[in-house]
Amino acid sequence: MRSQKATKKQNGKCYILTPERYVGAEAEEEEEEGLDEKMLHLTAKLERQFAESAKLEAMIRENRQRVGSGG
């Protein structure tokens, strides 16, 4: 029986065209931390990213103001 996976041959190479496979994607390892712990880590990371975003926005606004006022 033939495989159900779609394939495409190009330049002598065979590519698998299924949604679950991506070029360069590494296989996912099993997660050791639970969902609650993972959410805590992700939320903390998001908060750090929000803080960095606010800092960068303030710098951009300050630079735009200096450029807009001629110096």
Side-chain angles (χ1 to χ4, degrees):
M1 180 179 270
R2 210 163 179 203
S3 173
Q4 295 289 338
K5 293 182 180 180
T7 60
K8 178 179 180 182
K9 289 187 179 185
Q10 184 174 4
N11 297 332
K13 295 183 181 178
C14 185
Y15 297 92
I16 298 172
L17 306 175
T18 55
E20 70 271 5
R21 306 254 329 232
Y22 299 95
V23 175
E26 295 180 16
E28 291 185 22
E29 296 179 17
E30 287 191 34
E31 297 179 18
E32 293 182 16
E33 63 183 344
L35 180 60
D36 290 340
E37 189 175 337
K38 185 173 184 174
M39 286 302 297
L40 286 173
H41 289 127
L42 290 173
T43 301
K45 181 178 180 180
L46 182 60
E47 290 299 325
R48 289 191 303 273
Q49 291 173 335
F50 281 156
E52 180 70 13
S53 173
K55 188 186 316 181
L56 293 172
E57 181 182 352
M59 289 172 55
I60 291 168
R61 289 183 185 279
E62 183 180 313
N63 288 337
R64 282 186 58 207
Q65 192 173 25
R66 264 191 271 145
V67 170
S69 64

